[in-house]
Amino acid sequence: MDLSAILNPLNDAQRAAVTAPVGPVLVLAGAGSGKTRVLTHRIAWLICTEGVSPHGILAVTFTNKAAAEMRTRVEQLLGVPSGPMWLGTFHGLAHRLLRLHWREAGLAQGFQILDSEDQLRLIKKLLKASGLDESGWAPKDVQYFINKHKDEGRRPGQVRAGADRVSVQMVKLYEEYEAACARTGVIDFAELLLRAFELWRDQPQLLAQYRARFRHVLVDEFQDTNAIQYEWIRLLVGASGAAFVVGDDDQSIYRWRGARIEHLHRFLVDFPQAQLLRLEQNYRSTGAILAAANALIANNSSRLGKTLWTRGAQGAAVKLYAAFNERDEAEFVVTRVLEWVQHGGARADAAILYRSNAQSRSFEEALIMARVPYRVYGGLRFFERAEIKDALAYLRLIVNRDDDASFERIVNLPARGIGARTLDAIRELARETGSSLWSATRASVTATGAAGAGPAGRSGGAIQTFVTLIERLAGEITRLPLHEAVDHVIRGSGLVEHYQKERADRGEARVENLAELVSAARGFVPEGDMPPLEGFLAHAVLESGETQAEPFEDCVQMMTLHSAKGLEFPLVFMCGMEDGLFPHQRSQSDLEGLEEERRLCYVGMTRAMRQLYLTHAEQRRVHGVDTYNAASRFIGEVPPELLEEVRPRIRLAQHPVQHPGTYRPSRETPARYGNGRAGAATGRSGGAVPAMAGARGSLEETLAGGMRLGARVRHGKFGEGVVLTIEGQGSHARVQVNFERQGSKWLMLQYANLEVM
Ligand code: ATP
Ligand code: MG
């Protein structure tokens, strides 16, 4: 084994970390400084020089993807298989442990893992069995309650319930849930961790055995460990504390899942002999990207403080694009990707990052149009998401009652008390008569009415309700425009209500996605003379599946900012940089939440190696309504000299740069993005409006309604203001208006309904 291969590709600080004496080590360092590289080389070094067997190493990373990569890297360094090493995610390793010791852990031998959908289903069943109504006892809340306590290591007996009825009942549900899991031999995600922890805690002999085996424990992304993960590691390493952990407090982004940055501090307290090492050189990003990210994160108050610099080139400025709307944003990104590919770049080197999964749709559509293969990570493609498929199933059944798959999908969704026996009878009847489920249902419903032969009682009533619902919806939408029809069916079906009951973040995301479907319908242009709804449904089918890239195809990478952690890409687009979207609405009001969003922004920016684009849309359709979000405050936190605004559109107006005091695209970026409102200061300065008067004549000829530079206009929502800039033509024309109360805003002329005064 070649020691130089392990140590040569490292700088001094990295080498010091890799070769640190065995014992507790905390490497605290910024993004792209080589933490993951150090961890990998440490493993190789331990094996190579300390004579440690791969058998004695346990390494935890954040994702399966990262684990696989680490394995490959170690094998490359050592030239031997890493098989016997325990290398994986917390959940993966806990699972492995429990499979080996199911008996000691009190589990069934063939125990199965319960995913969160299944978990929820089980909770619903329990609620029903206890006679608790879902409207008062949101299953998602119960799920959250259970998981939260498990994450903190508490069994029902250890939860300090208040005296109130609700908390007593919650604890009781937690107990019943546990009993049900035990009875059916299943185990949820949080349980994997808790059970693995308890196994070692309660079985000293077993623990001793594992301590003797895993003398070397390594943890990547340590800042995102939750309480039970931390305790599990602490238990395993014991007093010797031979844990090698690497992390970055500025990249902690899972507070909402119980992760605690404080574990970085606690590690030093729990292991007073720990060495604290720092890495300061960034190898990933250009100087401009790094400076931008550093400036952003400097706005956070509670930081451990780190330095990060690069010897690499300064590189191009961070590019900023203000799109008209989300479609323009997507087109812009795709155009840039195509340019990148034309210049020899790999598609896989380009990443589109966004705050929430619902944002992927407009990018997916634009990529499909441009025939660019792409892959969506850690989240389903839009038209494949469960809630979207549910809504489409309603629409499909309305269009074609004989669509059995759609029938099956929604006949009891939302739950309307149609029992399994009733459904079986319908299936049977359909089989016998060779008809569709719908026809069989109708036949049986009629039969019930006539001779009492069909499904009886509650279930029979429920199936009748379903039939009536579909017929009614079908009748109601015949005259509606496509998007209103879609909206009407989504609401009328009860899907919105159904998903609203889910735990806050999840349910909210689903409802947002449903609203996105309405937006998609609004933007849909049917081909030929196909009825719009049928055209739209065909479009949805074609979009799912078909164009998803093959596993090894070179394709554009799309994912949320959360799933981008630890990864790097030469070309990165961070999209939807708007207040309310990112930082997310929920996090804007509390400081801790805002700081976590800022860390997420920092994570996103530091994924970029060569070129970083930030994009935002002036107008965006969210939840089916147009919103005019201010540019994200995070854009304003990037020093203006590091930002360069991109304006690919042809200007119609005389370039206002010539006029002092007016909006100037690149130089005045800070004013416009200062805090989303500061742009007003620029526009209001005295000379601005008269100075532009020269542009009047030509514009009046081009634009209807007397829209011209300097014109006073009124907007339904923003009130009165003065037109500062006009750009683009036709449906792309847009204006910048300095509103008296709201400051300056860009609006699409086509949609803004500005009244010239
Ligand atoms: P993150 O905080 O995003 O997880 P990190 O600190 O784990 O980042 P790595 O992913 O290990 O950083 O390294 C970032 C990039 O820099 C990688 O491409 C890595 O190969 C490269 N790199 C790290 N150290 C060196 C070095 N000494 N010489 C050359 N390249 C290096
Ligand atoms: Mg890393």
Side-chain angles (χ1 to χ4, degrees), residues 9 11 14 30-37 251 283-284 568 607:
N11 67 29
Q14 291 172 333
S33 58
K35 292 183 297 300
T36 303
R37 175 179 279 218
Q251 293 187 70
Y283 287 92
R284 179 180 294 148
E568 59 188 21
R607 298 310 96 200

Side-chain angles (χ1 to χ4, degrees), residues 132-139 141 166 170:
L132 296 170
D133 185 20
E134 280 188 26
S135 60
W137 297 90
D141 289 348
V166 175
M170 280 288 199

Side-chain angles (χ1 to χ4, degrees), residues 482-631:
L482 178 63
H483 69 278
E484 283 180 31
V486 173
D487 188 60
H488 186 79
V489 170
I490 289 175
R491 285 171 204 286
S493 62
L495 285 176
V496 172
E497 246 171 90
H498 168 72
Y499 282 121
Q500 267 165 351
K501 284 189 209 139
E502 290 196 351
R503 202 187 81 216
D505 53 352
R506 182 71 170 275
E508 213 173 280
R510 292 196 192 271
V511 174
E512 273 174 29
N513 284 337
L514 288 174
E516 265 298 301
L517 185 65
V518 178
S519 300
R522 190 192 283 262
F524 177 71
V525 186
E527 271 171 47
D529 48 11
M530 201 174 200
L533 180 54
E534 275 141 76
F536 182 63
L537 290 172
H539 163 79
V541 179
L542 292 175
E543 276 219 9
S544 59
E546 288 284 284
T547 42
Q548 175 84 330
E550 295 301 317
F552 298 106
E553 193 177 353
D554 177 31
C555 54
V556 173
Q557 317 281 302
M558 293 176 62
M559 66 197 83
T560 61
L561 289 156
H562 278 101
S563 2
K565 197 165 80 142
L567 307 178
E568 59 188 21
F569 308 93
L571 175 64
V572 169
F573 298 89
M574 283 173 74
C575 305
M577 299 287 295
E578 292 144 42
D579 269 351
L581 208 57
F582 189 38
H584 197 280
Q585 194 73 47
R586 272 200 308 275
S587 327
Q588 281 183 310
S589 46
D590 80 301
L591 184 67
E592 270 190 61
L594 186 63
E595 296 210 338
E596 173 135 324
E597 291 285 291
R598 191 176 281 114
R599 289 194 293 269
L600 187 57
C601 187
Y602 177 77
V603 166
M605 293 171 80
T606 54
R607 298 310 96 200
M609 298 164 81
R610 277 196 266 154
Q611 181 67 69
L612 172 64
Y613 281 90
L614 308 178
T615 67
H616 66 100
E618 308 283 351
Q619 179 189 20
R620 182 181 297 277
R621 192 163 274 272
V622 181
H623 301 239
V625 289
D626 286 331
T627 54
Y628 300 88
N629 292 328

Side-chain angles (χ1 to χ4, degrees), residues 656 659-665 667-674 677-689 692 724-725 736 738 743-744:
H659 309 289
T662 60
Y663 172 63
R664 286 171 297 186
R667 298 298 346 136
E668 290 194 0
T669 300
R672 192 166 155 215
Y673 295 101
R677 276 167 296 279
T682 326
R684 255 189 214 124
S685 58
V689 175
M692 286 186 291
L724 296 183
T725 315
Q736 187 196 24
N738 182 25
S744 103

Side-chain angles (χ1 to χ4, degrees), residues 120-134 137 139 142 169 173 176 412 415-420 458:
L120 196 65
R121 216 165 294 138
L122 175 56
I123 290 170
K124 285 179 179 173
K125 243 162 86 183
L126 293 173
L127 284 169
K128 207 157 155 205
S130 307
L132 296 170
D133 185 20
E134 280 188 26
W137 297 90
V142 180
Q169 182 63 57
L173 282 165
E176 288 169 3
N412 205 23
R416 49 191 129 238
I418 299 175
R458 210 163 90 79

Side-chain angles (χ1 to χ4, degrees), residues 433-451:
T433 55
S435 62
S436 67
L437 293 171
W438 178 265
S439 308
T441 304
R442 298 230 38 175
S444 73
V445 165
T446 323
T448 324

Side-chain angles (χ1 to χ4, degrees), residues 72 119 173 237 263 316 328 511 703:
T72 319
Q119 185 185 31
L173 282 165
V237 299
H263 292 149
D328 179 40
V511 174
L703 292 159

